[in-house]
Amino acid sequence: QKEVEQDPGPLSVPEGAIVSLNCTYSNSAFQYFMWYRQYSRKGPELLMYTYSSGNKEDGRFTAQVDKSSKYISLFIRDSQPSDSATYLCAMSGGSNYKLTFGKGTLLTVNP
Amino acid sequence: SAVISQKPSRDICQRGTSLTIQCQVDSQVTMMFWYRQQPGQSLTLIATANQGSEATYESGFVIDKFPISRPNLTFSTLTVSNLSPEDSSIYLCSVDAGGRVEQFFGPGTRLTVL
């Protein structure tokens, strides 16, 4: 079992839809959870950062962490064509700064 | 967040040669990281580079194949040696966020080995 599992998609939605992206993990030592957005031929860009369980909201983006289920989610409300990108989840236990990434989900928002 | 640049942005190399990738940051950072991103695969950490000490390599990556330099707090290089087509990938550097866990990434170097 891989440490972090992420459905690679692709996921295609109409503009304005609510998008749900998810990752599961197996390492209970993970305490820090991140979502990165990566446009084609660009480096990953940090979107959201969450410590331990709970929700965090930033504009149209909401990150959720459920440590009891080892499950994290990123919700995008009112999705826009500019949200079309690959979304990567990443996690860390914190002690050595090492990040473990999912494979990424390719999202396309159609106008 | 730090502004990170990488050179070259892309290259096509012949089998058996080497490529050195440069990573420049606009501010001093403690930790710099080098990743490989292969098609359909997770971003994979190659090594962590701290200034003034030897790089720390992850399982499956060795110094002879991926020598790293970190001469100061704003610059690092990764060399991919003795290239084979299996080394075709995107190579990314990242930096720590001032002691926090999240990292900021450069734009990547796309390497194709013929």
Side-chain angles (χ1 to χ4, degrees), chain A residues 2 4 32 34 36 38 40-46 49 88 91-92 94 96-103, chain B residues 10 31 33 35 37 40-43 45 48 58 92 96 99-108 110:
Chain A
K2 286 189 177 298
V4 179
Y32 301 86
M34 284 141 274
Y36 285 83
Q38 186 174 23
S40 180
R41 300 182 181 275
K42 301 288 187 183
E45 166 196 11
L46 181 65
Y49 162 75
L88 308 166
M91 310 178 187
S92 174
N96 61 3
Y97 296 92
K98 178 180 176 179
L99 296 184
T100 302
F101 283 84
K103 288 186 177 183
Chain B
R10 60 193 308 153
M31 305 178 77
F33 307 87
Y35 287 84
Q37 188 174 33
Q41 301 300 314
S42 309
L43 262 171
L45 180 64
T48 301
E58 296 299 306
L92 295 139
D96 73 294
R100 301 199 307 271
V101 173
E102 63 266 40
Q103 296 173 16
F104 300 105
F105 284 83
R110 185 177 295 268

Side-chain angles (χ1 to χ4, degrees), chain A residues 21-32:
Chain A
L21 304 166
N22 312 294
C23 289
T24 59
Y25 63 95
S26 58
N27 189 343
S28 58
F30 288 147
Q31 300 181 67
Y32 301 86

Side-chain angles (χ1 to χ4, degrees), chain A residues 5-30:
Chain A
E5 300 275 5
Q6 182 176 10
D7 186 340
L11 182 61
S12 181
V13 301
E15 183 175 353
I18 297 175
V19 176
S20 172
L21 304 166
N22 312 294
C23 289
T24 59
Y25 63 95
S26 58
N27 189 343
S28 58
F30 288 147

Side-chain angles (χ1 to χ4, degrees), chain B:
Chain B
S1 63
V3 177
I4 305 164
S5 60
Q6 284 184 235
K7 289 182 182 180
S9 58
R10 60 193 308 153
D11 208 342
I12 301 172
C13 298
Q14 296 297 320
R15 183 195 299 257
T17 63
S18 298
L19 177 69
T20 295
I21 302 167
Q22 300 178 7
C23 181
Q24 179 76 52
V25 191
D26 69 340
S27 58
Q28 294 184 341
V29 294
T30 304
M31 305 178 77
M32 297 181 77
F33 307 87
W34 287 99
Y35 287 84
R36 182 172 70 185
Q37 188 174 33
Q38 294 178 309
Q41 301 300 314
S42 309
L43 262 171
T44 302
L45 180 64
I46 297 171
T48 301
N50 291 336
Q51 194 264 339
S53 63
E54 294 289 326
T56 303
Y57 289 83
E58 296 299 306
S59 176
F61 298 96
V62 295
I63 187 171
D64 289 346
K65 176 68 175 177
F66 298 99
I68 288 171
S69 77
R70 181 80 198 274
N72 58 52
L73 292 173
T74 64
F75 187 80
S76 178
T77 67
L78 169 74
T79 299
V80 189
S81 304
N82 189 24
L83 290 167
S84 69
E86 292 72 37
D87 296 319
S88 297
S89 185
I90 299 171
Y91 293 86
L92 295 139
C93 70
S94 72
V95 304
D96 73 294
R100 301 199 307 271
V101 173
E102 63 266 40
Q103 296 173 16
F104 300 105
F105 284 83
T109 295
R110 185 177 295 268
L111 170 62
T112 301
V113 183
L114 302 179

Side-chain angles (χ1 to χ4, degrees), chain A residues 12 64 84 87-88:
Chain A
S12 181
Q64 287 186 352
S84 298
Y87 289 79
L88 308 166

